[in-house]
Amino acid sequence: MPVSIEIFGVRGYVYDVIRSQLQENLDNAGIDYLIQDVQKIDEFIAEGLEGVPTVRVDHKKSFTKTENTTAQEIVNAVVEYVLLGQNVQYVVCPIDFSEHSLHAASWAFQFSRQLRMQLKLIHIFKPIAEGSYSLTVDITDTLLTLKSKITEIAKHLGTGRTPATTIEVGDPLQAIVRISKDPSTGLIIMGTQGTTQLSRRLFGTISAAVARHTYAPVLLVPPQVSFKKPKQIMIAFHEELVTNGVLNKLMDLNHPLHAHLQFVHVQEGIGNYHEISDRLMEKLTRHALPEFSFDVQEIQAETEPVLHALLAYAEEAQPDIIVFVTRHRNLIRRLLHPGLTQKMGAHLKWPLLVMRNA
C-alpha cells in the first residue's frame, strides 16, 4: 500500500521545492507513495495546522515549515519518518576524514543506491590526546566542528538523497559493533589504508577487528578500487553457508544487483565438498530457480595459505567483489593475518565482504 503524502500550502517557490525534493528522495529510496496537494485555505483551518507549508504522512505525522527550518530539513525529516515506518535498512560507513575513508564513503554512496538502501555516514570521536584531537579543546566545539564537516561531505557525495550523518563519542570498535546489532544496519562499508601501510592498518587493526566482531556484513574497500556495479561476486565459503541463515542475507543483498554468484569452496586436505555442494544447490533451488545465475567450484589449499589460494583463483575469475563466509573469528583472523598479507597488500584488487554468522 503506498505511503500517503499530503502537502498543505499555497503554490510557490518553497512549496514547489519541498514537493520536488520529496518526490526525488522517495523515488531514490524505492518507496511507493501517493502525493496529494491541499491548497484551499479553509482546509488548512479545518485541519488546525500551525502553519504552511505542512507535510502530513499517512494522516498521522505532520511536518511544518517554520522560519527556523529549511525546505531541505523538512524533506529530510519526512523521508526519515517514512523510511523508519518502512523498516528501511542502511549502509553504514564509518569515516575518520582520511583519504581512504572518504574513498570508501564515495564507494558506499554509489553501492547503497544499487542496493536500494540508505547511506549513513558516521564518525566516532574518541576524546583522547592523539592525532589531531587535543584534550585542551572544548568537546562541544569539537563535536560541532565535526558535525559541520561530516554534513559537508554528505552534501558533496553526489546527486540524489543526501546521506544521513551521525557523530558519536566513544571507542570506535565498540560503537561500530553496537551499531551492527541494530536491525536497520544492513551493511557496513569501511575503507582500507593505502598500500604502503595496508597490512599494518587494515590487517590487525580497526577494520579487521570490525570484520571479526560485528554482526552485520562488513565490506572492506581498498583505496585503488573504483566503483562499478557488481556483475560477478565470488563467495569463498565453508559449511556455515549451508547450516545457518547467512545464505539468505547474501541472496537479499544480491536481489537488486542480479550479479552472478560464484561459490568457491576452499578444500584443505580431505573434506566433504560434495555434501556441502549438494546442500547448497538444494537451498538455492528449494522453491524455484533463483533470479540470478550461479555456479559452485572447489579449489585446493593443501600447502598454501587459504587466502593465497583464493586470490590466485580470483586472478583468473576476475570478480567484482570477494566474499568470505564463516562464523569463526579465528578463521577471519587467519585469513587477514598480518604476516600473510604483508607481501600481497599492494596487490589486493577487490573489495572484501566478510559475512559472519553469530
Side-chain angles (χ1 to χ4, degrees):
M1 185 174 182
V3 176
S4 173
I5 306 289
E6 297 170 287
I7 307 180
F8 296 84
V10 179
R11 292 300 290 263
Y13 175 76
V14 175
Y15 185 101
D16 291 341
V17 167
I18 290 176
R19 195 183 198 285
S20 63
Q21 290 186 356
L22 263 179
Q23 287 181 298
E24 180 180 356
N25 282 260
L26 293 171
D27 287 340
N28 289 336
I31 300 298
D32 187 16
Y33 65 92
L34 179 63
I35 289 183
Q36 179 183 359
D37 297 296
V38 184
Q39 300 178 324
K40 295 181 179 179
I41 296 177
D42 56 345
E43 294 188 52
F44 307 163
I45 298 173
E47 294 292 342
L49 301 178
E50 296 181 359
V52 291
T54 288
V55 180
R56 187 167 65 184
V57 180
D58 285 336
H59 308 285
K60 298 176 183 177
K61 180 72 172 178
S62 296
F63 302 84
T64 300
K65 171 74 172 67
T66 68
E67 292 182 358
N68 297 322
T69 57
T70 65
Q72 185 62 59
E73 288 172 335
I74 294 298
V75 170
N76 289 343
V78 171
V79 174
E80 290 297 330
Y81 177 79
V82 171
L83 292 177
L84 183 63
Q86 296 286 313
N87 296 317
V88 171
Q89 289 196 312
Y90 284 90
V91 171
V92 177
C93 182
I95 62 173
D96 60 4
F97 305 112
S98 61
E99 184 177 349
H100 65 279
S101 73
L102 296 182
H103 172 71
S106 176
W107 217 95
F109 176 78
Q110 298 176 80
F111 197 35
S112 64
R113 299 183 70 176
Q114 296 292 333
L115 295 175
R116 299 173 188 167
M117 293 185 182
Q118 301 306 301
L119 176 60
K120 180 183 293 183
L121 302 181
I122 180 169
H123 175 75
I124 300 102
F125 170 58
K126 190 173 183 179
I128 59 176
E130 65 176 21
S132 61
Y133 300 129
S134 171
L135 290 176
T136 61
V137 177
D138 181 79
I139 189 171
T140 301
D141 292 340
T142 300
L143 295 179
L144 289 174
T145 299
L146 293 172
K147 179 63 177 176
S148 175
K149 193 172 183 180
I150 198 172
T151 300
E152 284 301 310
I153 290 171
K155 289 180 179 178
H156 288 90
L157 277 179
T159 59
R161 182 168 182 266
T162 302
T165 58
T166 302
I167 299 291
E168 293 198 11
V169 177
D171 177 78
L173 177 59
Q174 293 179 0
I176 297 171
V177 169
R178 174 179 52 77
I179 292 169
S180 75
K181 296 179 181 180
D182 190 320
S184 69
T185 301
L187 177 67
I188 296 172
I189 295 182
M190 298 186 68
T192 69
Q193 182 64 307
T195 55
T196 57
Q197 301 183 50
L198 182 58
S199 62
R200 180 174 67 85
R201 290 296 303 273
L202 168 58
F203 304 107
T205 56
I206 183 65
S207 297
V210 166
R212 290 196 301 271
H213 293 283
T214 58
Y215 293 80
V218 178
L219 182 67
L220 306 177
V221 182
Q224 73 274 21
V225 176
S226 300
F227 177 80
K228 62 179 180 178
K229 181 180 178 179
K231 296 182 179 179
Q232 179 167 303
I233 299 175
M234 172 179 149
I235 302 100
F237 72 97
H238 291 257
E239 62 181 339
E240 286 87 355
L241 181 65
V242 294
T243 57
N244 293 280
V246 70
L247 179 59
N248 291 333
K249 295 180 183 178
L250 179 61
M251 293 175 69
D252 286 343
L253 284 174
N254 189 47
H255 178 71
L257 301 174
H258 295 284
H260 174 80
L261 300 186
Q262 190 165 35
F263 296 93
V264 179
H265 178 67
V266 183
Q267 184 66 56
E268 297 179 273
I270 300 175
N272 56 345
Y273 164 70
H274 293 293
E275 177 185 345
I276 296 173
S277 176
D278 289 344
R279 291 166 66 188
L280 175 61
M281 291 290 291
E282 191 274 331
K283 284 182 174 290
L284 287 171
T285 60
R286 175 173 296 172
H287 302 295
L289 288 176
E291 297 178 351
F292 54 85
S293 60
F294 67 93
D295 61 78
V296 184
Q297 303 287 339
E298 180 187 31
I299 60 176
Q300 297 292 327
E302 297 177 350
T303 58
E304 61 183 353
V306 172
L307 187 56
H308 274 286
L310 290 172
L311 294 183
Y313 185 86
E315 285 288 351
E316 297 183 5
Q318 288 299 311
D320 299 304
I321 295 176
I322 297 178
V323 182
F324 294 147
V325 176
T326 182
R327 66 177 177 181
H328 298 296
R329 291 177 183 171
N330 60 346
L331 179 56
I332 298 175
R333 187 186 300 272
R334 177 180 161 205
L335 287 169
L336 305 182
H337 191 274
L340 174 63
T341 58
Q342 186 172 6
K343 294 182 180 180
M344 61 174 50
H347 304 291
L348 289 174
K349 304 175 183 178
W350 307 276
L352 309 178
L353 175 62
V354 179
M355 303 187 69
R356 185 179 72 83
N357 279 300

